[in-house]
Amino acid sequence: MQTFRFDLCELPEETRGLREEVRAFLAEELKTIPAVIRAQTWSGHDQAFSAKMGAKGWIGMRWPKKYGGHERSAFDRYVVLEEMLAAGAPVGAHWIGDRQSGPLLLNFGTEEQRQLILPKVAKGECFLCIGMSEPDSGSDLAATRTKAEKVDGGYKVNGTKLWTSGANRAHYMIALFRTDPEKKHDGLTQFLVDLKSPGITIRPISDLAGNSHFNEVVFQDVFVPDSMLVGSEGSGWAQVGAELAFERSGPERYLSSYLLMKELIRELSKRGGEEGAKEVGRLIAHLVTLRQMSLSVAGMLDKGENPALEASVVKDLGAVFEQDMPVKAHELIGAEPTIGGGDDFTEVLAYLTQTVPSFSLRGGTREILRGIIARGLGLR
Amino acid sequence: MNELQTILSDSVNRLLADYSTKQTIVAAEQGEWPKALWDELVANGLTRVLVPEDMGGAGATWSDAYVVLKAAGEHAAPVPLAEAIVAGWILARAGIAIPDGIVTLMEGDFLLKEGRLSGKATRVPFARHATHGVALVKSGWGVEAVLAPLDYARLDKDQNVAREARDTLYFERVVVETGWVELPEDGLRLFGALARSVQMAGALDYLTKQSVAYANERTQFGKPIGKFQAIQQQLAVLSTQSAAAGIAAAHACAAADKGEASFEIAVAKVRVDDASSIATSIAHQVHGAIGFTYEHGLHFATRRLWAWRAEFGSGAEWAEELGRAAMERGADELWPYVTGR
């Protein structure tokens, strides 16, 4: 039996300068942003900030220059991402395009699609969302029902996508539609959909914390031209599979609660640093280990391998770690989480206490990930 | 793993599969010294992997030693291989020739005066079988490595839950060899923790493989229990814990090759300790009653994990050190520290 492969991957010495540059930029840009807003990190939407990152050349870092990219290494990109997340930069607007949809179009998109989208994404001016889940298709993605029927010059789309993060503020959606009702997995196709197309209604859904980042997107006789089909018809399932290693292993999969970890340590330090030292040490040990695992996957992605299984391991362990953070903060401090009017610690605690349940839902539920891991172990 | 490490891994695992058998481990637990296994390890130079070539060793790195120690943990080798490897590394750094025989590590309270050692060492691994012990003693100028013959030490027997000997040794003005060494005073605890972390990662890998194999064999309700989602989800957790332990230990070895590695070693011991508590529980649950019998070999790994997690500093002790240091540096310094090492 072959278990997973996590080879160590060390960041090259040359990335140090870049790290310092990013830190200096963030120290200036974030100095007036309160901790509770920074705690949103990659859920935080700030178009002006995305444009500044684009100008710095920190979006689409690995993409070819002819598509507005910067042909930097995977490690340069990793350093920029982890610095952004650790500092709590509002990177949500361009996150999906940079992480997932850009690489997808580079892999499977047409020249026209790449030219249309990638340069604008790299500038931090064009935002994407991913339309996968539906009312009757959550973890069971192959049950996708939104239908794309062949018509003259394109497809006519009818159906509903649900829980689509950022759709209310995105320009395009990478959508998974059913093009063949007779086949299951092989009847799915990806499309690049202009969200201004007639017939699309986007309704933000308030989450339990009162934030509206995910949406219901209804398609009513929406025309999508042939030129916007991504990859080949019927290959949607396989193409989505290839995206997932990008989606599931990045530093955002263990740093989403980092702002709370920092405020927790600050709070405990104020109390003399005697209390909670053991728990803080344990959190650090888990943080450092997750970072090594995530870097290991980044190294494999850089070599062109597809570490989908290892990526699932990182996401599963990372979500458990992130979700444990408000629990630890509660056990160690016991302060009341506060909305408005509290200090940094109690406000960040309030935000993350309410938000962490989504961390083992978004991007593949805990149970689905563990099912993938079990398959990797040869149990299914 | 590089090519050399892959070759090393294959040969060590083959050797241990042949010599660290269930029969050997059972005999060792009854007090017998596994001579054939030990002689084979010595003959292959595995007890001296970290000793430079000009001192009769293999001149390997900690990252190479990782492969050997992990295999030792995976096969529950009932011998002081980890102790000999760390001892050899310390002696070589102190310029002391590596003796023939069985060398172990001694933590304790010592007084070193005019080349004579006095004091007491507790829970010394395999002391009753060993010929020599290595200790680090703080002297006025720094830290001295000590190589003590055990012939003149008084010995009280004890053992850990893996039934590995953990004896107490008493020294009274025993003539020893010494050498200055550039290591912290608690270097033995530190590098002992590194070695144990790697062995534990190996034992955790064994738990994953063994539990998956068992779940595919054992049939209940008309199908292998591994076909049930409840079991699959548990085994997924077990495997992710062993994966995390493996990389934490490997990261610490790589750091030790680069220089000062106390942070990474502490991280490894804490992470591996946490993984062990989760993994041993799942492995036993999946195995059911058969895994609770002496007859079944599962416990050779789980009992070692329960013993080793408390040796050379428990996870909690190392975690407290990590936490205190982090709080002293301050909340805003954590990230720069983690990324700057």
Side-chain angles (χ1 to χ4, degrees):
Chain A
M1 185 195 86
Q2 178 73 38
T3 45
F4 326 112
R5 222 187 86 210
F6 281 101
D7 288 343
L8 283 178
C9 177
E10 202 181 339
L11 285 169
E13 203 59 30
E14 308 88 78
T15 55
R16 284 183 189 263
L18 174 63
R19 190 185 292 282
E20 291 312 314
E21 189 190 345
V22 176
R23 257 177 215 170
F25 169 82
L26 289 172
E28 186 55 33
E29 289 296 324
L30 303 183
K31 67 182 176 193
T32 57
I33 302 181
V36 67
I37 301 297
R38 279 185 278 126
Q40 297 180 12
T41 61
W42 61 290
S43 296
H45 185 102
D46 183 335
Q47 301 196 7
F49 184 83
S50 289
K52 280 183 192 167
M53 278 196 60
K56 277 281 185 185
W58 292 338
I59 304 175
M61 288 178 77
R62 297 194 63 203
W63 307 349
K65 287 187 176 158
K66 66 171 176 170
Y67 301 125
H70 305 281
E71 299 182 8
R72 305 282 291 260
S73 75
F75 303 114
D76 284 347
R77 177 168 181 272
Y78 195 93
V79 164
V80 170
L81 293 192
E82 67 172 1
E83 286 300 321
M84 294 285 157
L85 296 165
V91 289
H94 64 267
W95 193 260
I96 302 293
D98 179 59
R99 174 184 76 188
Q100 206 160 338
S101 305
L104 175 86
L105 291 175
L106 285 170
N107 272 336
F108 303 111
T110 63
E111 187 60 23
E112 184 197 341
Q113 290 165 357
R114 294 173 185 173
Q115 292 292 357
L116 174 70
I117 300 285
L118 299 181
K120 286 188 284 186
V121 172
K123 278 188 190 156
E125 293 169 358
C126 174
F127 310 127
L128 287 106
C129 62
I130 297 177
M132 290 205 202
S133 293
E134 297 184 3
D136 294 317
S137 164
S139 287
D140 185 7
L141 189 57
T144 292
R145 282 208 311 221
T146 299
K147 201 167 55 174
E149 273 176 289
K150 192 73 193 89
V151 293
D152 195 25
Y155 292 81
K156 187 176 73 177
V157 179
N158 279 289
T160 302
K161 290 289 174 187
L162 198 58
W163 321 128
T164 311
S165 294
N168 49 335
R169 292 184 279 209
H171 303 97
Y172 290 89
M173 173 191 283
I174 301 280
L176 187 67
F177 295 143
R178 181 157 297 287
T179 43
D180 188 343
E182 301 300 315
K183 297 174 184 160
K184 198 180 181 196
H185 296 83
D186 296 337
L188 298 170
T189 305
Q190 283 185 302
F191 290 88
L192 177 60
V193 180
D194 186 340
L195 290 173
K196 292 190 303 293
S197 309
I200 295 179
T201 312
I202 299 172
R203 191 173 66 87
I205 300 166
S206 180
D207 69 15
L208 60 82
N211 300 313
S212 298
H213 52 84
F214 59 25
N215 300 270
E216 180 189 64
V217 183
V218 179
F219 296 82
Q220 246 176 337
D221 291 334
V222 176
F223 178 75
V224 180
D226 284 331
S227 61
M228 290 296 108
L229 190 154
V230 179
S232 55
E233 192 174 303
S235 299
W237 182 261
Q239 291 172 203
V240 165
E243 271 178 69
L244 293 178
F246 291 100
E247 181 172 346
R248 289 180 174 161
S249 62
E252 75 272 27
R253 295 306 181 187
Y254 71 93
L255 286 174
S256 303
S257 294
Y258 185 72
L259 267 282
L260 179 57
M261 181 169 173
K262 196 158 84 171
E263 293 310 320
L264 173 62
I265 294 174
R266 200 188 312 284
E267 201 60 29
L268 288 167
S269 303
K270 278 188 212 160
R271 300 171 183 216
E274 293 294 317
E275 251 176 286
K278 267 181 208 168
E279 283 310 324
V280 167
R282 289 187 66 231
L283 291 172
I284 291 171
H286 284 249
L287 175 84
V288 171
T289 306
L290 281 162
R291 180 166 181 263
Q292 291 304 319
M293 298 182 96
S294 171
L295 273 169
S296 173
V297 176
M300 286 187 262
L301 286 170
D302 188 47
K303 285 187 222 154
E305 297 167 25
N306 183 9
L309 188 58
E310 283 79 4
S312 298
V313 174
V314 175
K315 184 176 179 312
D316 184 36
L317 285 172
V320 171
F321 170 74
E322 292 173 333
Q323 291 178 332
D324 199 30
M325 204 67 72
V327 179
K328 285 285 175 305
H330 170 66
E331 286 172 359
L332 290 168
I333 307 280
E336 292 181 37
T338 306
I339 299 173
D343 57 13
D344 282 352
F345 174 68
T346 54
E347 294 214 341
V348 170
L349 179 62
Y351 173 74
L352 279 161
T353 300
Q354 298 177 90
T355 310
V356 294
S358 68
F359 295 177
S360 54
L361 304 174
R362 62 185 185 188
T365 65
R366 169 172 300 144
E367 290 71 22
I368 287 291
L369 295 173
R370 291 180 181 174
I372 291 170
I373 294 164
R375 179 171 291 123
L377 293 171
L379 290 162
R380 308 179 59 184
Chain B
M1 276 203 284
N2 61 33
E3 202 182 333
L4 177 78
Q5 287 160 1
T6 307
I7 295 168
L8 186 61
S9 172
D10 289 348
S11 68
V12 174
N13 276 296
R14 210 173 313 122
L15 186 158
L16 289 169
D18 289 347
Y19 286 88
S20 187
T21 58
K22 184 176 169 187
Q23 202 183 357
T24 308
I25 303 169
V26 170
E29 294 201 347
Q30 286 157 4
E32 196 177 301
W33 171 246
K35 187 172 183 312
L37 165 61
W38 183 256
D39 289 350
E40 199 63 20
L41 291 168
V42 171
N44 283 275
L46 293 169
T47 55
R48 296 183 181 189
V49 279
L50 288 179
V51 174
E53 287 174 59
D54 59 11
M55 292 183 78
T61 63
W62 275 103
S63 298
D64 303 329
Y66 171 84
V67 169
V68 177
L69 292 166
K70 197 168 177 205
E74 191 169 337
H75 293 272
V79 285
L81 176 61
E83 289 77 2
I85 287 174
V86 175
W89 181 72
I90 290 173
L91 290 175
R93 285 175 65 112
I96 301 172
I98 320 298
D100 288 333
I102 302 159
V103 191
T104 187
L105 298 171
M106 307 188 297
E107 284 188 281
D109 288 323
F110 298 110
L111 180 70
L112 187 60
K113 211 172 164 188
E114 290 154 358
R116 287 169 180 272
L117 185 75
S118 301
K120 175 182 164 188
T122 52
R123 304 200 67 78
V124 179
F126 301 92
R128 72 192 69 165
H129 304 294
T131 56
H132 297 78
V134 166
L136 292 176
V137 181
K138 180 138 170 63
S139 289
W141 298 94
V143 173
E144 284 188 88
V146 174
L147 174 65
L150 299 186
D151 312 348
Y152 311 105
R154 184 158 68 80
L155 184 146
D156 286 343
K157 285 188 176 179
D158 200 349
Q159 57 185 3
N160 65 17
V161 291
R163 300 194 209 172
E164 293 175 322
R166 294 291 185 265
D167 303 324
T168 303
L169 291 170
Y170 303 88
F171 295 88
E172 208 164 322
R173 295 180 51 74
V174 173
V175 177
V176 293
E177 281 186 71
T178 63
W180 297 108
V181 66
E182 256 186 69
L183 280 174
E185 191 185 353
D186 72 340
L188 213 126
R189 174 174 173 267
L190 187 63
F191 289 92
L194 176 59
R196 282 289 183 274
S197 297
V198 182
Q199 288 173 283
M200 289 171 76
L204 287 164
D205 251 13
Y206 167 80
L207 289 190
T208 301
K209 290 177 190 166
Q210 169 58 33
S211 301
V212 168
Y214 181 76
N216 278 330
E217 275 163 26
R218 170 70 174 167
T219 297
Q220 286 287 273
F221 306 104
K223 54 183 176 180
I225 60 170
K227 295 292 169 208
F228 292 96
Q229 288 199 2
I231 304 289
Q232 290 175 358
Q233 298 268 313
Q234 290 295 306
L235 290 174
V237 172
L238 167 56
S239 70
T240 59
Q241 291 299 324
S242 79
I247 197 162
H251 179 50
C253 286
D257 285 328
K258 281 196 292 184
E260 199 282 313
S262 55
F263 177 77
E264 289 79 5
I265 293 172
V267 163
K269 193 77 197 317
V270 175
R271 187 62 188 87
V272 171
D273 186 341
D274 279 358
S276 300
S277 300
I278 299 167
T280 50
S281 161
I282 294 174
H284 274 294
Q285 192 64 26
V286 168
H287 277 80
I290 195 75
F292 195 64
T293 62
Y294 191 86
E295 175 61 23
H296 192 282
L298 182 66
H299 60 90
F300 293 130
T302 55
R303 284 190 291 121
R304 275 173 176 73
L305 287 164
W306 294 326
W308 293 346
R309 67 185 178 186
E311 293 182 357
F312 297 110
S314 68
E317 283 174 57
W318 286 110
E320 188 163 358
E321 287 182 30
L322 280 176
R324 278 180 194 276
M327 287 198 265
E328 264 168 44
R329 284 190 296 268
D332 293 321
E333 286 309 306
L334 175 61
W335 184 252
Y337 188 79
V338 166
T339 53
R341 287 190 62 94

